[in-house]
Amino acid sequence: MTCIGEPISWLRLERHALAADPTVAEHVAACAACRHCLDEIRGDLVALPMLVVPERRLRWWRFAIPALAAAAIAIVVLRPRPEPQHHGELLAGVKGVGDVVVELVRERAGAIREDATTFSPGDRWKLVVTCASATGAWLDVAVTEAGARDADHPLAPTHVACGNAVPVPGAFELTGTKPNNICVRVRAEREEIGERACVTVTRETP
Amino acid sequence: MEAVSDPQAAYRTYGPALVRKAERVLRSREDAVDVVHALFVDLIPRWNSDVDLPYLYRAVTNRCLNLLRDRGTRARLLEREQTVAAPVGRVQLDDQIVGVALIAALAERLDAAHMEVLVARFVDDMTQDEIAEHLAISRKTVGRRLEHIRATVIALQEVA
């Protein structure tokens, strides 16, 4: 495949895919070869293994100096603690799987949010999993509308290979006006009970 | 978009781009993922806010070239290269797409500085100006190194 002029390097295409560059956009619109490369980037899904960042060891004197200064000033300001932010991220420690992070991702008219806790009709919801187990994990999603006795299971129980931000196949929508409790059960084997983590998603007022 | 202060965030943001870059050199997704993961693991203790995508790109190039210098790995990747589809060759070196075999052959004859220019030009498809900026060298030096690379390729072909 031949470029119409000077090819846009892969690095510039990658940067353009992360944050639009008008010069690159103009070239790609006219050049099939470079457009093909950009499409490859956009259509590629990379499953990265989990990256564990150890906590840094901090030296005692780094705390001592500010602590002494604070003691000398002896001013204590008390403020009410803000409520913890409730993001669409669920964390579960599962026997046989280890730590599993499940992100609830909302897609609305092409806009993706990983921290959404509200819904509107037409939103699509997906799960993205991060885990490190070599054997992967089983996931089962249950959605219970407030006041309902039974839960819906919008996705079939799925086995996912662990990695970094692995999308779970399938998506689902939420309907109605009441809050929905979305629970994800994670287990090492399909028959096991595993662990459950939940998040509540409320309907947006029109 | 550029420098990211947190290695986890950088890994998530730039990891896929770096895997694709390593895969273009090695022609193996599994090895590419290993290269990128190992790079971040090594970078975590000395992470700083200057780490951006171009820096990581260079680091991945060097790690891929080191991998290809290892005879065992090289043999495995050469064998694998025969089974994977040829990449899109927008920038070619004397009408040939630069693949594992040529990079491995040149790695035995060229120094690290020339190999970096080779990958930037014929694998990453950078212009000479872009290479100069990316590697912090003059455009003239880039031109000289490319000439030397071409001469080495011709010499290789004559031997073959």
mmCIF file of all heavy atoms in Angstrom, chain A residues 6 8-12 14-15 18-19 34 36-37 41 44-46 48-53 103, chain B residues 1-2 8 11-12 17 19-20 24 29 33 37 44 53-54 57 88 90 121 123-125 127 130:
data_model
loop_
_atom_site.group_PDB
_atom_site.id
_atom_site.type_symbol
_atom_site.label_atom_id
_atom_site.label_comp_id
_atom_site.label_asym_id
_atom_site.label_seq_id
_atom_site.Cartn_x
_atom_site.Cartn_y
_atom_site.Cartn_z
ATOM 1 N N GLU A 6 4.370 11.809 2.147
ATOM 2 C CA GLU A 6 5.264 11.299 3.195
ATOM 3 C C GLU A 6 4.383 10.608 4.235
ATOM 4 O O GLU A 6 3.487 11.243 4.803
ATOM 5 C CB GLU A 6 5.999 12.482 3.832
ATOM 6 C CG GLU A 6 7.110 12.091 4.772
ATOM 7 C CD GLU A 6 8.345 11.546 4.077
ATOM 8 O OE1 GLU A 6 8.963 12.282 3.306
ATOM 9 O OE2 GLU A 6 8.682 10.370 4.332
ATOM 10 N N ILE A 8 2.601 9.181 7.473
ATOM 11 C CA ILE A 8 2.534 9.625 8.873
ATOM 12 C C ILE A 8 3.100 8.483 9.718
ATOM 13 O O ILE A 8 2.644 7.350 9.613
ATOM 14 C CB ILE A 8 1.073 9.897 9.297
ATOM 15 C CG1 ILE A 8 0.404 10.933 8.389
ATOM 16 C CG2 ILE A 8 0.996 10.316 10.757
ATOM 17 C CD1 ILE A 8 0.886 12.341 8.541
ATOM 18 N N SER A 9 4.084 8.789 10.526
ATOM 19 C CA SER A 9 4.734 7.730 11.306
ATOM 20 C C SER A 9 3.734 7.076 12.261
ATOM 21 O O SER A 9 2.723 7.674 12.636
ATOM 22 C CB SER A 9 5.898 8.309 12.105
ATOM 23 O OG SER A 9 5.414 9.128 13.137
ATOM 24 N N TRP A 10 4.075 5.872 12.663
ATOM 25 C CA TRP A 10 3.214 5.149 13.603
ATOM 26 C C TRP A 10 3.096 5.914 14.916
ATOM 27 O O TRP A 10 2.035 5.930 15.545
ATOM 28 C CB TRP A 10 3.760 3.738 13.855
ATOM 29 C CG TRP A 10 3.540 2.807 12.721
ATOM 30 C CD1 TRP A 10 4.436 2.461 11.751
ATOM 31 C CD2 TRP A 10 2.333 2.077 12.415
ATOM 32 N NE1 TRP A 10 3.862 1.573 10.866
ATOM 33 C CE2 TRP A 10 2.578 1.318 11.249
ATOM 34 C CE3 TRP A 10 1.081 2.003 13.003
ATOM 35 C CZ2 TRP A 10 1.609 0.491 10.682
ATOM 36 C CZ3 TRP A 10 0.118 1.180 12.434
ATOM 37 C CH2 TRP A 10 0.389 0.434 11.287
ATOM 38 N N LEU A 11 4.183 6.553 15.324
ATOM 39 C CA LEU A 11 4.142 7.311 16.587
ATOM 40 C C LEU A 11 3.130 8.446 16.490
ATOM 41 O O LEU A 11 2.318 8.659 17.397
ATOM 42 C CB LEU A 11 5.539 7.865 16.922
ATOM 43 C CG LEU A 11 5.642 8.743 18.176
ATOM 44 C CD1 LEU A 11 5.176 8.025 19.422
ATOM 45 C CD2 LEU A 11 7.078 9.241 18.368
ATOM 46 N N ARG A 12 3.129 9.154 15.361
ATOM 47 C CA ARG A 12 2.169 10.259 15.193
ATOM 48 C C ARG A 12 0.745 9.728 15.083
ATOM 49 O O ARG A 12 -0.193 10.347 15.580
ATOM 50 C CB ARG A 12 2.525 11.084 13.954
ATOM 51 C CG ARG A 12 3.771 11.944 14.162
ATOM 52 C CD ARG A 12 4.022 12.838 12.978
ATOM 53 N NE ARG A 12 3.041 13.913 12.880
ATOM 54 C CZ ARG A 12 2.806 14.612 11.767
ATOM 55 N NH1 ARG A 12 3.472 14.344 10.659
ATOM 56 N NH2 ARG A 12 1.912 15.580 11.757
ATOM 57 N N GLU A 14 -0.359 6.989 16.523
ATOM 58 C CA GLU A 14 -0.742 6.581 17.884
ATOM 59 C C GLU A 14 -1.138 7.805 18.713
ATOM 60 O O GLU A 14 -2.122 7.771 19.460
ATOM 61 C CB GLU A 14 0.411 5.848 18.571
ATOM 62 C CG GLU A 14 0.753 4.485 17.992
ATOM 63 C CD GLU A 14 -0.223 3.374 18.383
ATOM 64 O OE1 GLU A 14 -1.217 3.662 19.064
ATOM 65 O OE2 GLU A 14 0.015 2.220 17.972
ATOM 66 N N ARG A 15 -0.360 8.890 18.581
ATOM 67 C CA ARG A 15 -0.674 10.107 19.334
ATOM 68 C C ARG A 15 -2.004 10.697 18.861
ATOM 69 O O ARG A 15 -2.794 11.186 19.659
ATOM 70 C CB ARG A 15 0.435 11.134 19.157
ATOM 71 C CG ARG A 15 1.693 10.752 19.909
ATOM 72 C CD ARG A 15 2.835 11.592 19.465
ATOM 73 N NE ARG A 15 3.458 12.306 20.562
ATOM 74 C CZ ARG A 15 4.547 13.044 20.426
ATOM 75 N NH1 ARG A 15 5.121 13.173 19.262
ATOM 76 N NH2 ARG A 15 5.064 13.650 21.466
ATOM 77 N N LEU A 18 -4.854 8.978 20.375
ATOM 78 C CA LEU A 18 -5.082 9.362 21.773
ATOM 79 C C LEU A 18 -5.651 10.772 21.887
ATOM 80 O O LEU A 18 -6.484 11.048 22.745
ATOM 81 C CB LEU A 18 -3.765 9.277 22.560
ATOM 82 C CG LEU A 18 -3.204 7.874 22.811
ATOM 83 C CD1 LEU A 18 -1.786 7.958 23.344
ATOM 84 C CD2 LEU A 18 -4.079 7.103 23.784
ATOM 85 N N ALA A 19 -5.169 11.667 21.040
ATOM 86 C CA ALA A 19 -5.651 13.055 21.054
ATOM 87 C C ALA A 19 -5.548 13.579 19.622
ATOM 88 O O ALA A 19 -4.443 13.643 19.074
ATOM 89 C CB ALA A 19 -4.800 13.901 21.994
ATOM 90 N N CYS A 34 -2.326 5.369 5.005
ATOM 91 C CA CYS A 34 -2.201 5.821 6.399
ATOM 92 C C CYS A 34 -3.515 5.606 7.158
ATOM 93 O O CYS A 34 -3.510 5.315 8.353
ATOM 94 C CB CYS A 34 -1.769 7.285 6.449
ATOM 95 S SG CYS A 34 -0.093 7.513 5.813
ATOM 96 N N HIS A 36 -5.510 3.153 6.639
ATOM 97 C CA HIS A 36 -5.511 1.722 6.960
ATOM 98 C C HIS A 36 -4.725 1.479 8.267
ATOM 99 O O HIS A 36 -5.151 0.706 9.131
ATOM 100 C CB HIS A 36 -4.890 0.943 5.800
ATOM 101 C CG HIS A 36 -4.718 -0.522 6.072
ATOM 102 N ND1 HIS A 36 -5.748 -1.416 5.945
ATOM 103 C CD2 HIS A 36 -3.633 -1.239 6.486
ATOM 104 C CE1 HIS A 36 -5.308 -2.621 6.257
ATOM 105 N NE2 HIS A 36 -4.026 -2.546 6.590
ATOM 106 N N CYS A 37 -3.594 2.153 8.386
ATOM 107 C CA CYS A 37 -2.765 1.994 9.598
ATOM 108 C C CYS A 37 -3.500 2.525 10.836
ATOM 109 O O CYS A 37 -3.466 1.901 11.903
ATOM 110 C CB CYS A 37 -1.426 2.718 9.435
ATOM 111 S SG CYS A 37 -0.405 2.002 8.137
ATOM 112 N N ILE A 41 -4.824 0.574 14.311
ATOM 113 C CA ILE A 41 -4.613 1.008 15.702
ATOM 114 C C ILE A 41 -5.941 1.031 16.442
ATOM 115 O O ILE A 41 -6.070 0.499 17.544
ATOM 116 C CB ILE A 41 -3.961 2.414 15.735
ATOM 117 C CG1 ILE A 41 -2.506 2.341 15.257
ATOM 118 C CG2 ILE A 41 -4.048 3.038 17.122
ATOM 119 C CD1 ILE A 41 -1.846 3.686 15.056
ATOM 120 N N ASP A 44 -7.477 -2.387 17.193
ATOM 121 C CA ASP A 44 -6.644 -3.358 17.910
ATOM 122 C C ASP A 44 -6.980 -3.352 19.402
ATOM 123 O O ASP A 44 -7.152 -2.300 20.008
ATOM 124 C CB ASP A 44 -5.167 -2.982 17.725
ATOM 125 C CG ASP A 44 -4.251 -4.038 18.286
ATOM 126 O OD1 ASP A 44 -4.610 -5.218 18.227
ATOM 127 O OD2 ASP A 44 -3.178 -3.677 18.796
ATOM 128 N N LEU A 45 -7.088 -4.517 19.955
ATOM 129 C CA LEU A 45 -7.362 -4.646 21.389
ATOM 130 C C LEU A 45 -6.172 -5.374 22.009
ATOM 131 O O LEU A 45 -5.875 -6.499 21.639
ATOM 132 C CB LEU A 45 -8.645 -5.444 21.607
ATOM 133 C CG LEU A 45 -9.226 -5.429 22.999
ATOM 134 C CD1 LEU A 45 -9.704 -4.043 23.380
ATOM 135 C CD2 LEU A 45 -10.375 -6.410 23.085
ATOM 136 N N VAL A 46 -5.497 -4.726 22.922
ATOM 137 C CA VAL A 46 -4.303 -5.314 23.541
ATOM 138 C C VAL A 46 -4.633 -5.716 24.974
ATOM 139 O O VAL A 46 -5.072 -4.875 25.757
ATOM 140 C CB VAL A 46 -3.130 -4.307 23.535
ATOM 141 C CG1 VAL A 46 -1.920 -4.892 24.237
ATOM 142 C CG2 VAL A 46 -2.779 -3.909 22.116
ATOM 143 N N LEU A 48 -3.113 -6.453 28.222
ATOM 144 C CA LEU A 48 -1.842 -6.336 28.947
ATOM 145 C C LEU A 48 -1.934 -7.069 30.281
ATOM 146 O O LEU A 48 -2.977 -7.004 30.937
ATOM 147 C CB LEU A 48 -1.531 -4.866 29.216
ATOM 148 C CG LEU A 48 -1.087 -4.025 28.029
ATOM 149 C CD1 LEU A 48 -1.152 -2.556 28.386
ATOM 150 C CD2 LEU A 48 0.325 -4.394 27.619
ATOM 151 N N PRO A 49 -0.879 -7.735 30.683
ATOM 152 C CA PRO A 49 -0.908 -8.334 32.022
ATOM 153 C C PRO A 49 -0.938 -7.234 33.080
ATOM 154 O O PRO A 49 -0.539 -6.105 32.818
ATOM 155 C CB PRO A 49 0.399 -9.130 32.092
ATOM 156 C CG PRO A 49 1.273 -8.564 31.032
ATOM 157 C CD PRO A 49 0.388 -7.948 29.993
ATOM 158 N N MET A 50 -1.435 -7.587 34.248
ATOM 159 C CA MET A 50 -1.556 -6.597 35.319
ATOM 160 C C MET A 50 -0.170 -6.076 35.715
ATOM 161 O O MET A 50 0.785 -6.837 35.772
ATOM 162 C CB MET A 50 -2.231 -7.242 36.523
ATOM 163 C CG MET A 50 -2.606 -6.266 37.601
ATOM 164 S SD MET A 50 -3.343 -7.131 38.993
ATOM 165 C CE MET A 50 -5.018 -7.249 38.442
ATOM 166 N N LEU A 51 -0.088 -4.795 35.945
ATOM 167 C CA LEU A 51 1.165 -4.190 36.400
ATOM 168 C C LEU A 51 1.028 -3.886 37.882
ATOM 169 O O LEU A 51 0.163 -3.109 38.277
ATOM 170 C CB LEU A 51 1.441 -2.900 35.624
ATOM 171 C CG LEU A 51 2.728 -2.174 35.959
ATOM 172 C CD1 LEU A 51 3.945 -2.947 35.457
ATOM 173 C CD2 LEU A 51 2.737 -0.772 35.360
ATOM 174 N N VAL A 52 1.843 -4.517 38.665
ATOM 175 C CA VAL A 52 1.775 -4.295 40.108
ATOM 176 C C VAL A 52 2.807 -3.248 40.497
ATOM 177 O O VAL A 52 3.992 -3.420 40.247
ATOM 178 C CB VAL A 52 2.029 -5.612 40.877
ATOM 179 C CG1 VAL A 52 1.981 -5.373 42.372
ATOM 180 C CG2 VAL A 52 1.005 -6.652 40.463
ATOM 181 N N VAL A 53 2.321 -2.161 41.052
ATOM 182 C CA VAL A 53 3.232 -1.092 41.488
ATOM 183 C C VAL A 53 3.376 -1.185 42.997
ATOM 184 O O VAL A 53 2.424 -0.927 43.728
ATOM 185 C CB VAL A 53 2.679 0.291 41.092
ATOM 186 C CG1 VAL A 53 3.630 1.394 41.531
ATOM 187 C CG2 VAL A 53 2.446 0.355 39.596
ATOM 188 N N GLU A 103 -14.547 -3.024 36.252
ATOM 189 C CA GLU A 103 -15.021 -1.674 35.987
ATOM 190 C C GLU A 103 -16.329 -1.744 35.220
ATOM 191 O O GLU A 103 -16.456 -2.525 34.278
ATOM 192 C CB GLU A 103 -13.999 -0.906 35.152
ATOM 193 C CG GLU A 103 -12.863 -0.343 35.963
ATOM 194 C CD GLU A 103 -11.832 0.315 35.076
ATOM 195 O OE1 GLU A 103 -11.202 -0.398 34.296
ATOM 196 O OE2 GLU A 103 -11.690 1.528 35.162
ATOM 197 N N MET B 1 -1.929 14.127 27.425
ATOM 198 C CA MET B 1 -1.517 13.153 26.423
ATOM 199 C C MET B 1 -0.043 12.781 26.594
ATOM 200 O O MET B 1 0.340 11.647 26.421
ATOM 201 C CB MET B 1 -1.730 13.778 25.043
ATOM 202 C CG MET B 1 -2.102 12.813 23.917
ATOM 203 S SD MET B 1 -0.969 11.543 23.542
ATOM 204 C CE MET B 1 0.078 12.380 22.390
ATOM 205 N N GLU B 2 0.798 13.766 26.970
ATOM 206 C CA GLU B 2 2.236 13.474 26.958
ATOM 207 C C GLU B 2 2.702 12.800 28.257
ATOM 208 O O GLU B 2 2.287 11.708 28.527
ATOM 209 C CB GLU B 2 3.016 14.751 26.649
ATOM 210 C CG GLU B 2 2.880 15.151 25.178
ATOM 211 C CD GLU B 2 3.230 14.043 24.193
ATOM 212 O OE1 GLU B 2 4.060 13.178 24.502
ATOM 213 O OE2 GLU B 2 2.672 14.026 23.095
ATOM 214 N N GLN B 8 1.056 3.386 36.447
ATOM 215 C CA GLN B 8 -0.154 2.613 36.112
ATOM 216 C C GLN B 8 -0.921 3.313 34.997
ATOM 217 O O GLN B 8 -1.370 2.674 34.044
ATOM 218 C CB GLN B 8 -1.072 2.486 37.341
ATOM 219 C CG GLN B 8 -0.620 1.491 38.367
ATOM 220 C CD GLN B 8 -0.967 0.055 37.993
ATOM 221 O OE1 GLN B 8 -1.279 -0.241 36.854
ATOM 222 N NE2 GLN B 8 -0.859 -0.845 38.939
ATOM 223 N N TYR B 11 0.935 3.049 31.771
ATOM 224 C CA TYR B 11 0.849 1.664 31.264
ATOM 225 C C TYR B 11 -0.473 1.453 30.530
ATOM 226 O O TYR B 11 -0.525 0.887 29.452
ATOM 227 C CB TYR B 11 0.974 0.720 32.452
ATOM 228 C CG TYR B 11 1.025 -0.754 32.134
ATOM 229 C CD1 TYR B 11 2.082 -1.303 31.412
ATOM 230 C CD2 TYR B 11 0.038 -1.605 32.597
ATOM 231 C CE1 TYR B 11 2.134 -2.653 31.148
ATOM 232 C CE2 TYR B 11 0.085 -2.962 32.354
ATOM 233 C CZ TYR B 11 1.137 -3.487 31.625
ATOM 234 O OH TYR B 11 1.193 -4.829 31.364
ATOM 235 N N ARG B 12 -1.529 1.962 31.130
ATOM 236 C CA ARG B 12 -2.849 1.812 30.512
ATOM 237 C C ARG B 12 -2.969 2.657 29.243
ATOM 238 O O ARG B 12 -3.538 2.230 28.257
ATOM 239 C CB ARG B 12 -3.933 2.268 31.476
ATOM 240 C CG ARG B 12 -4.302 1.237 32.479
ATOM 241 C CD ARG B 12 -5.490 1.719 33.249
ATOM 242 N NE ARG B 12 -6.014 0.647 34.068
ATOM 243 C CZ ARG B 12 -7.263 0.548 34.427
ATOM 244 N NH1 ARG B 12 -8.141 1.418 34.020
ATOM 245 N NH2 ARG B 12 -7.673 -0.424 35.181
ATOM 246 N N ALA B 17 -0.099 1.076 22.538
ATOM 247 C CA ALA B 17 0.700 1.648 21.444
ATOM 248 C C ALA B 17 2.103 1.038 21.443
ATOM 249 O O ALA B 17 2.677 0.746 20.386
ATOM 250 C CB ALA B 17 0.796 3.161 21.592
ATOM 251 N N VAL B 19 2.963 -1.918 22.672
ATOM 252 C CA VAL B 19 2.886 -3.330 22.263
ATOM 253 C C VAL B 19 2.852 -3.418 20.738
ATOM 254 O O VAL B 19 3.551 -4.228 20.136
ATOM 255 C CB VAL B 19 1.644 -4.013 22.885
ATOM 256 C CG1 VAL B 19 1.373 -5.356 22.230
ATOM 257 C CG2 VAL B 19 1.836 -4.204 24.383
ATOM 258 N N ARG B 20 2.044 -2.572 20.119
ATOM 259 C CA ARG B 20 1.962 -2.593 18.646
ATOM 260 C C ARG B 20 3.315 -2.255 18.037
ATOM 261 O O ARG B 20 3.731 -2.833 17.043
ATOM 262 C CB ARG B 20 0.901 -1.596 18.166
ATOM 263 C CG ARG B 20 -0.520 -2.047 18.408
ATOM 264 C CD ARG B 20 -1.526 -1.127 17.745
ATOM 265 N NE ARG B 20 -1.738 0.099 18.483
ATOM 266 C CZ ARG B 20 -2.621 0.243 19.470
ATOM 267 N NH1 ARG B 20 -3.384 -0.756 19.819
ATOM 268 N NH2 ARG B 20 -2.773 1.391 20.089
ATOM 269 N N ARG B 24 5.660 -4.777 15.736
ATOM 270 C CA ARG B 24 6.135 -4.487 14.362
ATOM 271 C C ARG B 24 7.602 -4.886 14.203
ATOM 272 O O ARG B 24 8.031 -5.268 13.135
ATOM 273 C CB ARG B 24 5.936 -3.009 14.027
ATOM 274 C CG ARG B 24 4.522 -2.651 13.606
ATOM 275 C CD ARG B 24 4.463 -1.282 12.963
ATOM 276 N NE ARG B 24 4.861 -0.232 13.890
ATOM 277 C CZ ARG B 24 4.073 0.307 14.808
ATOM 278 N NH1 ARG B 24 2.836 -0.102 14.931
ATOM 279 N NH2 ARG B 24 4.513 1.251 15.604
ATOM 280 N N ARG B 29 3.091 -10.964 19.006
ATOM 281 C CA ARG B 29 2.337 -10.217 20.018
ATOM 282 C C ARG B 29 2.761 -10.620 21.432
ATOM 283 O O ARG B 29 2.913 -9.774 22.302
ATOM 284 C CB ARG B 29 0.840 -10.436 19.770
ATOM 285 C CG ARG B 29 -0.146 -9.897 20.791
ATOM 286 C CD ARG B 29 -0.102 -8.395 20.998
ATOM 287 N NE ARG B 29 -0.393 -7.563 19.864
ATOM 288 C CZ ARG B 29 -1.529 -6.877 19.665
ATOM 289 N NH1 ARG B 29 -2.508 -6.966 20.516
ATOM 290 N NH2 ARG B 29 -1.667 -6.081 18.623
ATOM 291 N N VAL B 33 4.193 -8.037 24.190
ATOM 292 C CA VAL B 33 3.564 -7.782 25.498
ATOM 293 C C VAL B 33 4.602 -7.953 26.605
ATOM 294 O O VAL B 33 4.687 -7.129 27.524
ATOM 295 C CB VAL B 33 2.352 -8.724 25.710
ATOM 296 C CG1 VAL B 33 1.886 -8.716 27.153
ATOM 297 C CG2 VAL B 33 1.191 -8.335 24.787
ATOM 298 N N HIS B 37 5.673 -5.027 29.257
ATOM 299 C CA HIS B 37 5.438 -5.251 30.680
ATOM 300 C C HIS B 37 6.755 -5.160 31.456
ATOM 301 O O HIS B 37 6.835 -4.491 32.498
ATOM 302 C CB HIS B 37 4.762 -6.610 30.893
ATOM 303 C CG HIS B 37 4.324 -6.838 32.305
ATOM 304 N ND1 HIS B 37 5.021 -7.653 33.164
ATOM 305 C CD2 HIS B 37 3.292 -6.343 33.018
ATOM 306 C CE1 HIS B 37 4.416 -7.647 34.337
ATOM 307 N NE2 HIS B 37 3.361 -6.867 34.276
ATOM 308 N N ILE B 44 9.317 1.403 37.068
ATOM 309 C CA ILE B 44 8.553 1.832 38.255
ATOM 310 C C ILE B 44 9.442 2.477 39.335
ATOM 311 O O ILE B 44 9.143 3.578 39.793
ATOM 312 C CB ILE B 44 7.733 0.660 38.841
ATOM 313 C CG1 ILE B 44 6.524 0.396 37.940
ATOM 314 C CG2 ILE B 44 7.263 0.953 40.267
ATOM 315 C CD1 ILE B 44 5.790 -0.892 38.269
ATOM 316 N N LEU B 53 5.477 9.331 25.764
ATOM 317 C CA LEU B 53 5.384 8.282 24.745
ATOM 318 C C LEU B 53 6.654 8.168 23.883
ATOM 319 O O LEU B 53 7.145 7.056 23.676
ATOM 320 C CB LEU B 53 4.132 8.493 23.882
ATOM 321 C CG LEU B 53 3.831 7.408 22.858
ATOM 322 C CD1 LEU B 53 3.693 6.030 23.495
ATOM 323 C CD2 LEU B 53 2.549 7.741 22.079
ATOM 324 N N PRO B 54 7.228 9.280 23.390
ATOM 325 C CA PRO B 54 8.471 9.137 22.606
ATOM 326 C C PRO B 54 9.607 8.467 23.388
ATOM 327 O O PRO B 54 10.346 7.653 22.848
ATOM 328 C CB PRO B 54 8.823 10.583 22.235
ATOM 329 C CG PRO B 54 7.511 11.290 22.238
ATOM 330 C CD PRO B 54 6.731 10.663 23.349
ATOM 331 N N TYR B 57 8.865 4.870 23.513
ATOM 332 C CA TYR B 57 9.070 4.312 22.174
ATOM 333 C C TYR B 57 10.543 3.930 21.973
ATOM 334 O O TYR B 57 10.859 2.859 21.482
ATOM 335 C CB TYR B 57 8.676 5.377 21.144
ATOM 336 C CG TYR B 57 7.639 4.928 20.138
ATOM 337 C CD1 TYR B 57 6.359 4.566 20.545
ATOM 338 C CD2 TYR B 57 7.924 4.895 18.779
ATOM 339 C CE1 TYR B 57 5.407 4.188 19.627
ATOM 340 C CE2 TYR B 57 6.974 4.517 17.847
ATOM 341 C CZ TYR B 57 5.717 4.167 18.279
ATOM 342 O OH TYR B 57 4.776 3.785 17.359
ATOM 343 N N VAL B 88 2.067 -3.848 6.722
ATOM 344 C CA VAL B 88 1.925 -2.792 5.707
ATOM 345 C C VAL B 88 3.288 -2.115 5.570
ATOM 346 O O VAL B 88 3.855 -1.654 6.546
ATOM 347 C CB VAL B 88 0.872 -1.753 6.173
ATOM 348 C CG1 VAL B 88 0.780 -0.607 5.182
ATOM 349 C CG2 VAL B 88 -0.462 -2.425 6.367
ATOM 350 N N ARG B 90 4.840 0.888 4.303
ATOM 351 C CA ARG B 90 4.727 2.229 3.695
ATOM 352 C C ARG B 90 6.104 2.805 3.384
ATOM 353 O O ARG B 90 6.280 3.544 2.437
ATOM 354 C CB ARG B 90 3.964 3.160 4.634
ATOM 355 C CG ARG B 90 2.482 2.802 4.752
ATOM 356 C CD ARG B 90 1.775 3.763 5.678
ATOM 357 N NE ARG B 90 2.367 3.739 7.012
ATOM 358 C CZ ARG B 90 2.199 4.676 7.923
ATOM 359 N NH1 ARG B 90 1.462 5.734 7.648
ATOM 360 N NH2 ARG B 90 2.745 4.563 9.122
ATOM 361 N N ARG B 121 13.185 4.692 10.995
ATOM 362 C CA ARG B 121 12.848 4.988 9.602
ATOM 363 C C ARG B 121 12.007 3.888 8.949
ATOM 364 O O ARG B 121 10.985 4.170 8.329
ATOM 365 C CB ARG B 121 14.153 5.193 8.799
ATOM 366 C CG ARG B 121 13.935 5.487 7.330
ATOM 367 C CD ARG B 121 13.302 6.855 7.123
ATOM 368 N NE ARG B 121 12.983 7.125 5.742
ATOM 369 C CZ ARG B 121 11.834 7.665 5.323
ATOM 370 N NH1 ARG B 121 10.904 7.990 6.189
ATOM 371 N NH2 ARG B 121 11.620 7.902 4.057
ATOM 372 N N VAL B 123 10.732 0.872 10.330
ATOM 373 C CA VAL B 123 9.691 0.140 11.079
ATOM 374 C C VAL B 123 8.644 1.131 11.603
ATOM 375 O O VAL B 123 7.449 0.907 11.475
ATOM 376 C CB VAL B 123 10.299 -0.668 12.245
ATOM 377 C CG1 VAL B 123 9.203 -1.388 13.028
ATOM 378 C CG2 VAL B 123 11.314 -1.677 11.723
ATOM 379 N N ASP B 124 9.136 2.249 12.164
ATOM 380 C CA ASP B 124 8.198 3.238 12.708
ATOM 381 C C ASP B 124 7.760 4.255 11.648
ATOM 382 O O ASP B 124 6.921 5.112 11.931
ATOM 383 C CB ASP B 124 8.844 3.976 13.891
ATOM 384 C CG ASP B 124 9.168 3.039 15.044
ATOM 385 O OD1 ASP B 124 8.473 2.014 15.174
ATOM 386 O OD2 ASP B 124 10.116 3.322 15.802
ATOM 387 N N ASP B 125 8.341 4.185 10.463
ATOM 388 C CA ASP B 125 7.960 5.051 9.328
ATOM 389 C C ASP B 125 8.124 6.544 9.620
ATOM 390 O O ASP B 125 7.324 7.377 9.168
ATOM 391 C CB ASP B 125 6.515 4.767 8.891
ATOM 392 C CG ASP B 125 6.326 3.353 8.364
ATOM 393 O OD1 ASP B 125 7.341 2.661 8.144
ATOM 394 O OD2 ASP B 125 5.168 2.951 8.171
ATOM 395 N N THR B 127 9.843 10.294 9.383
ATOM 396 C CA THR B 127 10.600 11.086 8.403
ATOM 397 C C THR B 127 11.984 11.371 9.003
ATOM 398 O O THR B 127 12.183 11.200 10.217
ATOM 399 C CB THR B 127 9.905 12.427 8.131
ATOM 400 O OG1 THR B 127 9.880 13.169 9.362
ATOM 401 C CG2 THR B 127 8.480 12.227 7.623
ATOM 402 N N GLU B 130 11.700 13.912 11.690
ATOM 403 C CA GLU B 130 11.108 13.344 12.907
ATOM 404 C C GLU B 130 12.146 12.511 13.660
ATOM 405 O O GLU B 130 12.207 12.553 14.897
ATOM 406 C CB GLU B 130 9.911 12.474 12.500
ATOM 407 C CG GLU B 130 8.823 12.385 13.534
ATOM 408 C CD GLU B 130 7.619 11.571 13.051
ATOM 409 O OE1 GLU B 130 7.499 11.331 11.823
ATOM 410 O OE2 GLU B 130 6.825 11.160 13.894
#
